[in-house]
Amino acid sequence: MRHAARALEIAELANRYRDSGVAGFDIAGAEAGFPPTRHLDAFEYLKRENNHFTIHAGEAFGLPSIWQALQWCGADRLGHGVRIIDDIEIAEDGTVKLGRLASYVRDKRIPLEMCPTSNLQTAAATSYAEHPIGLLSKLRFRATVNTDNRLMSGTSMSREFEHLVEAFGYTLDDMQWFTVNAMKSAFIPFDERLAMINDVIKPGYAEIKSEWLFR
């Protein structure tokens, strides 16, 4: 938790057990007053060790939190990242212009760990239909769907997808796209990610589609 002062200690612990099932490192908790740069020593250590980490940024505090997480700390993924929408302009004619930070996030394929229900509860979004995931996925950011905390948010992955289907009319193809995005962004070796995508995720969705087709 980012309000604590034990980030380096826990980063060292995560690194020690990286070959025993610990996939990476994360900081979470309140952004305001607790910038990610407070834990720069932990992130510098993880980079030296070629380890992976994600940073909770851009939910409540906005673009400065995202910028620090990426450019100062070197995050591989962004926890939430919904406020990247603040760096995207939509003109009256519908044309879209990305700011430099938004362009960087999209160009670098930085994963956004989006948590719709949690974002509604923290007022980072006003409704499922107005959640930034709609525009960000349309613009082909590396958006993924997550629960944040199933107990606190009272949700599940199935429920998150259900809300998004109701809000945006997503199909199984869209859900497969989100799922493949998540596996592409996982902190596991490339060959394991590829095998999971080709041997589990795509065949799984194909089976569901065929079952629906013959109902």
Side-chain angles (χ1 to χ4, degrees):
M1 300 300 289
R2 63 203 303 149
H3 63 271
R6 302 180 65 184
L8 180 57
E9 175 190 351
I10 296 169
E12 290 172 340
L13 191 65
N15 193 62
R16 188 182 312 154
Y17 292 99
R18 63 189 297 177
D19 297 320
S20 303
V22 178
F25 177 85
D26 176 34
I27 63 166
E31 292 176 70
F34 302 100
T37 47
R38 258 182 113 225
H39 308 285
L40 199 54
D41 55 347
F43 301 128
E44 292 291 345
Y45 165 76
L46 290 165
K47 284 189 285 186
R48 287 195 303 270
E49 293 296 325
N50 301 308
N51 211 334
H52 302 288
F53 58 94
T54 184
I55 295 178
H56 177 125
E59 182 190 22
F61 201 66
L63 295 174
S65 179
I66 295 174
W67 181 80
Q68 282 193 20
L70 296 176
Q71 309 305 358
W72 275 87
C73 303
D76 296 296
R77 302 191 314 218
L78 292 174
H80 298 288
V82 288
R83 297 275 35 107
I84 197 65
I85 202 81
D86 296 342
D87 200 36
I88 301 174
E89 295 180 13
I90 305 176
E92 291 184 4
D93 63 0
T95 56
V96 177
K97 181 181 179 183
L98 274 62
R100 288 183 176 177
L101 183 57
S103 293
Y104 181 88
V105 169
R106 185 172 70 166
D107 292 346
K108 297 281 284 186
R109 314 308 298 145
I110 294 167
L112 303 174
E113 303 168 359
M114 317 220 84
C115 311
T117 297
S118 175
N119 294 155
L120 265 63
Q121 294 169 340
T122 60
T126 55
S127 69
Y128 291 106
E130 295 177 11
H131 193 281
I133 196 171
L135 177 61
L136 294 172
S137 60
K138 192 179 295 183
L139 295 174
R140 285 306 189 249
F141 280 75
R142 178 68 68 79
T144 68
V145 180
N146 306 265
T147 60
D148 195 6
N149 186 311
R150 289 180 294 172
L151 179 62
M152 298 293 290
S153 296
T155 191
S156 65
M157 281 299 298
S158 297
R159 193 164 293 142
E160 294 299 302
F161 273 125
E162 183 180 352
H163 289 310
L164 295 177
V165 167
E166 291 173 354
F168 300 108
Y170 286 150
T171 66
L172 281 169
D173 287 336
D174 296 307
M175 287 187 275
Q176 177 176 311
W177 182 78
F178 283 118
T179 307
V180 169
N181 275 353
M183 186 48 58
K184 284 180 177 178
S185 310
F187 291 163
I188 58 175
F190 173 76
D191 54 351
E192 293 180 27
R193 283 179 275 154
L194 201 60
M196 187 68 73
I197 290 169
N198 291 330
D199 301 339
V200 178
I201 295 173
K202 289 183 177 179
Y205 274 99
E207 184 177 347
I208 296 171
K209 290 175 191 176
S210 65
E211 288 176 358
W212 283 20
L213 187 63
F214 292 105
R215 279 184 179 180

PDB file of all heavy atoms in Angstrom, residues 31 58-61 80 82-83 85 115-127 130-132:
ATOM      1  N   GLU A  31      -4.159   7.785  -4.117  1.00  0.00           N
ATOM      2  CA  GLU A  31      -3.143   8.466  -4.925  1.00  0.00           C
ATOM      3  C   GLU A  31      -2.801   9.840  -4.375  1.00  0.00           C
ATOM      4  O   GLU A  31      -1.639  10.239  -4.353  1.00  0.00           O
ATOM      5  CB  GLU A  31      -3.640   8.611  -6.368  1.00  0.00           C
ATOM      6  CG  GLU A  31      -3.768   7.302  -7.116  1.00  0.00           C
ATOM      7  CD  GLU A  31      -4.356   7.522  -8.496  1.00  0.00           C
ATOM      8  OE1 GLU A  31      -3.668   8.104  -9.347  1.00  0.00           O
ATOM      9  OE2 GLU A  31      -5.510   7.125  -8.705  1.00  0.00           O
ATOM     10  N   GLY A  58      -3.905   7.240 -12.021  1.00  0.00           N
ATOM     11  CA  GLY A  58      -4.893   7.794 -12.940  1.00  0.00           C
ATOM     12  C   GLY A  58      -6.309   7.368 -12.648  1.00  0.00           C
ATOM     13  O   GLY A  58      -7.147   7.328 -13.550  1.00  0.00           O
ATOM     14  N   GLU A  59      -6.612   7.061 -11.397  1.00  0.00           N
ATOM     15  CA  GLU A  59      -8.009   6.814 -11.035  1.00  0.00           C
ATOM     16  C   GLU A  59      -8.595   8.075 -10.416  1.00  0.00           C
ATOM     17  O   GLU A  59      -9.530   8.655 -10.936  1.00  0.00           O
ATOM     18  CB  GLU A  59      -8.132   5.646 -10.042  1.00  0.00           C
ATOM     19  CG  GLU A  59      -9.593   5.355  -9.707  1.00  0.00           C
ATOM     20  CD  GLU A  59      -9.770   4.369  -8.562  1.00  0.00           C
ATOM     21  OE1 GLU A  59      -8.842   4.219  -7.750  1.00  0.00           O
ATOM     22  OE2 GLU A  59     -10.847   3.765  -8.479  1.00  0.00           O
ATOM     23  N   ALA A  60      -8.020   8.515  -9.315  1.00  0.00           N
ATOM     24  CA  ALA A  60      -8.534   9.690  -8.635  1.00  0.00           C
ATOM     25  C   ALA A  60      -7.706  10.939  -8.911  1.00  0.00           C
ATOM     26  O   ALA A  60      -8.238  12.053  -8.940  1.00  0.00           O
ATOM     27  CB  ALA A  60      -8.591   9.431  -7.127  1.00  0.00           C
ATOM     28  N   PHE A  61      -6.411  10.771  -9.117  1.00  0.00           N
ATOM     29  CA  PHE A  61      -5.525  11.938  -9.141  1.00  0.00           C
ATOM     30  C   PHE A  61      -5.276  12.505 -10.529  1.00  0.00           C
ATOM     31  O   PHE A  61      -4.821  13.629 -10.668  1.00  0.00           O
ATOM     32  CB  PHE A  61      -4.185  11.595  -8.472  1.00  0.00           C
ATOM     33  CG  PHE A  61      -3.437  12.799  -8.005  1.00  0.00           C
ATOM     34  CD1 PHE A  61      -3.934  13.588  -6.981  1.00  0.00           C
ATOM     35  CD2 PHE A  61      -2.243  13.158  -8.600  1.00  0.00           C
ATOM     36  CE1 PHE A  61      -3.239  14.710  -6.548  1.00  0.00           C
ATOM     37  CE2 PHE A  61      -1.538  14.285  -8.174  1.00  0.00           C
ATOM     38  CZ  PHE A  61      -2.043  15.062  -7.146  1.00  0.00           C
ATOM     39  N   HIS A  80      -5.901   0.858 -13.234  1.00  0.00           N
ATOM     40  CA  HIS A  80      -6.975   1.776 -13.598  1.00  0.00           C
ATOM     41  C   HIS A  80      -6.581   2.609 -14.829  1.00  0.00           C
ATOM     42  O   HIS A  80      -6.873   2.237 -15.944  1.00  0.00           O
ATOM     43  CB  HIS A  80      -7.390   2.683 -12.435  1.00  0.00           C
ATOM     44  CG  HIS A  80      -7.920   1.938 -11.258  1.00  0.00           C
ATOM     45  ND1 HIS A  80      -9.151   1.315 -11.257  1.00  0.00           N
ATOM     46  CD2 HIS A  80      -7.380   1.681 -10.031  1.00  0.00           C
ATOM     47  CE1 HIS A  80      -9.355   0.714 -10.108  1.00  0.00           C
ATOM     48  NE2 HIS A  80      -8.289   0.912  -9.343  1.00  0.00           N
ATOM     49  N   VAL A  82      -7.902   5.316 -15.817  1.00  0.00           N
ATOM     50  CA  VAL A  82      -9.086   5.867 -16.483  1.00  0.00           C
ATOM     51  C   VAL A  82      -8.944   7.345 -16.839  1.00  0.00           C
ATOM     52  O   VAL A  82      -9.509   7.811 -17.823  1.00  0.00           O
ATOM     53  CB  VAL A  82     -10.367   5.669 -15.636  1.00  0.00           C
ATOM     54  CG1 VAL A  82     -10.785   4.225 -15.629  1.00  0.00           C
ATOM     55  CG2 VAL A  82     -10.168   6.177 -14.211  1.00  0.00           C
ATOM     56  N   ARG A  83      -8.158   8.082 -16.076  1.00  0.00           N
ATOM     57  CA  ARG A  83      -8.063   9.523 -16.311  1.00  0.00           C
ATOM     58  C   ARG A  83      -7.182   9.870 -17.506  1.00  0.00           C
ATOM     59  O   ARG A  83      -7.031  11.045 -17.835  1.00  0.00           O
ATOM     60  CB  ARG A  83      -7.555  10.236 -15.047  1.00  0.00           C
ATOM     61  CG  ARG A  83      -8.482  10.087 -13.879  1.00  0.00           C
ATOM     62  CD  ARG A  83      -9.628  11.079 -13.769  1.00  0.00           C
ATOM     63  NE  ARG A  83     -10.256  11.560 -14.969  1.00  0.00           N
ATOM     64  CZ  ARG A  83     -11.476  11.195 -15.376  1.00  0.00           C
ATOM     65  NH1 ARG A  83     -12.156  10.270 -14.732  1.00  0.00           N
ATOM     66  NH2 ARG A  83     -12.005  11.731 -16.439  1.00  0.00           N
ATOM     67  N   ILE A  85      -8.244   9.606 -20.168  1.00  0.00           N
ATOM     68  CA  ILE A  85      -9.296  10.196 -20.990  1.00  0.00           C
ATOM     69  C   ILE A  85      -9.194  11.724 -20.977  1.00  0.00           C
ATOM     70  O   ILE A  85      -9.640  12.401 -21.914  1.00  0.00           O
ATOM     71  CB  ILE A  85     -10.686   9.731 -20.480  1.00  0.00           C
ATOM     72  CG1 ILE A  85     -11.748   9.865 -21.568  1.00  0.00           C
ATOM     73  CG2 ILE A  85     -11.099  10.466 -19.226  1.00  0.00           C
ATOM     74  CD1 ILE A  85     -11.776   8.759 -22.554  1.00  0.00           C
ATOM     75  N   CYS A 115     -11.358  -1.136 -14.212  1.00  0.00           N
ATOM     76  CA  CYS A 115     -12.234  -1.795 -13.230  1.00  0.00           C
ATOM     77  C   CYS A 115     -13.542  -1.004 -13.137  1.00  0.00           C
ATOM     78  O   CYS A 115     -13.694  -0.152 -12.245  1.00  0.00           O
ATOM     79  CB  CYS A 115     -11.554  -1.849 -11.870  1.00  0.00           C
ATOM     80  SG  CYS A 115      -9.847  -2.473 -11.917  1.00  0.00           S
ATOM     81  N   PRO A 116     -14.488  -1.245 -14.045  1.00  0.00           N
ATOM     82  CA  PRO A 116     -15.683  -0.398 -14.129  1.00  0.00           C
ATOM     83  C   PRO A 116     -16.465  -0.256 -12.830  1.00  0.00           C
ATOM     84  O   PRO A 116     -16.778   0.869 -12.418  1.00  0.00           O
ATOM     85  CB  PRO A 116     -16.517  -1.093 -15.219  1.00  0.00           C
ATOM     86  CG  PRO A 116     -15.504  -1.762 -16.084  1.00  0.00           C
ATOM     87  CD  PRO A 116     -14.434  -2.234 -15.150  1.00  0.00           C
ATOM     88  N   THR A 117     -16.798  -1.358 -12.170  1.00  0.00           N
ATOM     89  CA  THR A 117     -17.616  -1.257 -10.955  1.00  0.00           C
ATOM     90  C   THR A 117     -16.889  -0.489  -9.864  1.00  0.00           C
ATOM     91  O   THR A 117     -17.463   0.396  -9.217  1.00  0.00           O
ATOM     92  CB  THR A 117     -17.994  -2.657 -10.444  1.00  0.00           C
ATOM     93  OG1 THR A 117     -18.812  -3.308 -11.430  1.00  0.00           O
ATOM     94  CG2 THR A 117     -18.765  -2.587  -9.136  1.00  0.00           C
ATOM     95  N   SER A 118     -15.624  -0.790  -9.661  1.00  0.00           N
ATOM     96  CA  SER A 118     -14.832  -0.083  -8.658  1.00  0.00           C
ATOM     97  C   SER A 118     -14.762   1.405  -8.977  1.00  0.00           C
ATOM     98  O   SER A 118     -14.855   2.243  -8.075  1.00  0.00           O
ATOM     99  CB  SER A 118     -13.425  -0.675  -8.597  1.00  0.00           C
ATOM    100  OG  SER A 118     -12.606   0.060  -7.716  1.00  0.00           O
ATOM    101  N   ASN A 119     -14.606   1.737 -10.263  1.00  0.00           N
ATOM    102  CA  ASN A 119     -14.528   3.150 -10.663  1.00  0.00           C
ATOM    103  C   ASN A 119     -15.820   3.894 -10.405  1.00  0.00           C
ATOM    104  O   ASN A 119     -15.808   5.089 -10.094  1.00  0.00           O
ATOM    105  CB  ASN A 119     -14.156   3.267 -12.133  1.00  0.00           C
ATOM    106  CG  ASN A 119     -12.766   2.761 -12.446  1.00  0.00           C
ATOM    107  OD1 ASN A 119     -12.478   2.358 -13.564  1.00  0.00           O
ATOM    108  ND2 ASN A 119     -11.867   2.763 -11.459  1.00  0.00           N
ATOM    109  N   LEU A 120     -16.955   3.209 -10.515  1.00  0.00           N
ATOM    110  CA  LEU A 120     -18.231   3.836 -10.164  1.00  0.00           C
ATOM    111  C   LEU A 120     -18.299   4.098  -8.667  1.00  0.00           C
ATOM    112  O   LEU A 120     -18.770   5.151  -8.224  1.00  0.00           O
ATOM    113  CB  LEU A 120     -19.404   2.954 -10.599  1.00  0.00           C
ATOM    114  CG  LEU A 120     -20.041   3.270 -11.954  1.00  0.00           C
ATOM    115  CD1 LEU A 120     -19.052   3.071 -13.096  1.00  0.00           C
ATOM    116  CD2 LEU A 120     -21.285   2.428 -12.166  1.00  0.00           C
ATOM    117  N   GLN A 121     -17.815   3.147  -7.881  1.00  0.00           N
ATOM    118  CA  GLN A 121     -17.861   3.280  -6.428  1.00  0.00           C
ATOM    119  C   GLN A 121     -16.950   4.379  -5.905  1.00  0.00           C
ATOM    120  O   GLN A 121     -17.239   5.000  -4.895  1.00  0.00           O
ATOM    121  CB  GLN A 121     -17.505   1.934  -5.785  1.00  0.00           C
ATOM    122  CG  GLN A 121     -18.545   0.860  -6.055  1.00  0.00           C
ATOM    123  CD  GLN A 121     -18.088  -0.521  -5.651  1.00  0.00           C
ATOM    124  OE1 GLN A 121     -16.891  -0.774  -5.503  1.00  0.00           O
ATOM    125  NE2 GLN A 121     -19.030  -1.441  -5.472  1.00  0.00           N
ATOM    126  N   THR A 122     -15.842   4.621  -6.620  1.00  0.00           N
ATOM    127  CA  THR A 122     -14.906   5.674  -6.192  1.00  0.00           C
ATOM    128  C   THR A 122     -15.164   6.993  -6.919  1.00  0.00           C
ATOM    129  O   THR A 122     -14.402   7.940  -6.762  1.00  0.00           O
ATOM    130  CB  THR A 122     -13.451   5.242  -6.438  1.00  0.00           C
ATOM    131  OG1 THR A 122     -13.262   4.985  -7.838  1.00  0.00           O
ATOM    132  CG2 THR A 122     -13.120   4.000  -5.635  1.00  0.00           C
ATOM    133  N   ALA A 123     -16.227   7.034  -7.749  1.00  0.00           N
ATOM    134  CA  ALA A 123     -16.621   8.225  -8.503  1.00  0.00           C
ATOM    135  C   ALA A 123     -15.617   8.608  -9.582  1.00  0.00           C
ATOM    136  O   ALA A 123     -15.594   9.741 -10.047  1.00  0.00           O
ATOM    137  CB  ALA A 123     -16.862   9.407  -7.569  1.00  0.00           C
ATOM    138  N   ALA A 124     -14.776   7.661  -9.997  1.00  0.00           N
ATOM    139  CA  ALA A 124     -13.878   7.905 -11.129  1.00  0.00           C
ATOM    140  C   ALA A 124     -14.641   7.833 -12.440  1.00  0.00           C
ATOM    141  O   ALA A 124     -14.161   8.299 -13.477  1.00  0.00           O
ATOM    142  CB  ALA A 124     -12.738   6.900 -11.132  1.00  0.00           C
ATOM    143  N   ALA A 125     -15.846   7.253 -12.405  1.00  0.00           N
ATOM    144  CA  ALA A 125     -16.750   7.222 -13.552  1.00  0.00           C
ATOM    145  C   ALA A 125     -18.165   7.382 -13.013  1.00  0.00           C
ATOM    146  O   ALA A 125     -18.447   6.991 -11.876  1.00  0.00           O
ATOM    147  CB  ALA A 125     -16.612   5.920 -14.331  1.00  0.00           C
ATOM    148  N   THR A 126     -19.042   7.953 -13.833  1.00  0.00           N
ATOM    149  CA  THR A 126     -20.399   8.243 -13.352  1.00  0.00           C
ATOM    150  C   THR A 126     -21.394   7.133 -13.648  1.00  0.00           C
ATOM    151  O   THR A 126     -22.415   7.014 -12.983  1.00  0.00           O
ATOM    152  CB  THR A 126     -20.917   9.556 -13.974  1.00  0.00           C
ATOM    153  OG1 THR A 126     -20.838   9.456 -15.406  1.00  0.00           O
ATOM    154  CG2 THR A 126     -20.074  10.739 -13.514  1.00  0.00           C
ATOM    155  N   SER A 127     -21.114   6.319 -14.654  1.00  0.00           N
ATOM    156  CA  SER A 127     -21.996   5.206 -15.000  1.00  0.00           C
ATOM    157  C   SER A 127     -21.222   4.234 -15.878  1.00  0.00           C
ATOM    158  O   SER A 127     -20.167   4.578 -16.420  1.00  0.00           O
ATOM    159  CB  SER A 127     -23.244   5.692 -15.742  1.00  0.00           C
ATOM    160  OG  SER A 127     -22.896   6.168 -17.032  1.00  0.00           O
ATOM    161  N   GLU A 130     -20.915   5.561 -19.393  1.00  0.00           N
ATOM    162  CA  GLU A 130     -20.011   6.687 -19.587  1.00  0.00           C
ATOM    163  C   GLU A 130     -18.589   6.361 -19.138  1.00  0.00           C
ATOM    164  O   GLU A 130     -17.734   7.243 -19.102  1.00  0.00           O
ATOM    165  CB  GLU A 130     -20.535   7.909 -18.830  1.00  0.00           C
ATOM    166  CG  GLU A 130     -21.869   8.416 -19.381  1.00  0.00           C
ATOM    167  CD  GLU A 130     -22.421   9.590 -18.584  1.00  0.00           C
ATOM    168  OE1 GLU A 130     -21.681  10.135 -17.745  1.00  0.00           O
ATOM    169  OE2 GLU A 130     -23.583   9.951 -18.814  1.00  0.00           O
ATOM    170  N   HIS A 131     -18.343   5.108 -18.834  1.00  0.00           N
ATOM    171  CA  HIS A 131     -16.992   4.725 -18.404  1.00  0.00           C
ATOM    172  C   HIS A 131     -16.022   4.887 -19.575  1.00  0.00           C
ATOM    173  O   HIS A 131     -16.345   4.537 -20.715  1.00  0.00           O
ATOM    174  CB  HIS A 131     -16.981   3.279 -17.912  1.00  0.00           C
ATOM    175  CG  HIS A 131     -15.736   2.918 -17.184  1.00  0.00           C
ATOM    176  ND1 HIS A 131     -14.546   2.620 -17.838  1.00  0.00           N
ATOM    177  CD2 HIS A 131     -15.466   2.819 -15.851  1.00  0.00           C
ATOM    178  CE1 HIS A 131     -13.613   2.366 -16.941  1.00  0.00           C
ATOM    179  NE2 HIS A 131     -14.134   2.465 -15.733  1.00  0.00           N
ATOM    180  N   PRO A 132     -14.828   5.428 -19.320  1.00  0.00           N
ATOM    181  CA  PRO A 132     -13.845   5.652 -20.391  1.00  0.00           C
ATOM    182  C   PRO A 132     -13.464   4.407 -21.182  1.00  0.00           C
ATOM    183  O   PRO A 132     -12.956   4.524 -22.297  1.00  0.00           O
ATOM    184  CB  PRO A 132     -12.637   6.217 -19.643  1.00  0.00           C
ATOM    185  CG  PRO A 132     -13.219   6.906 -18.451  1.00  0.00           C
ATOM    186  CD  PRO A 132     -14.376   6.038 -18.041  1.00  0.00           C
TER     187      PRO A 132
END
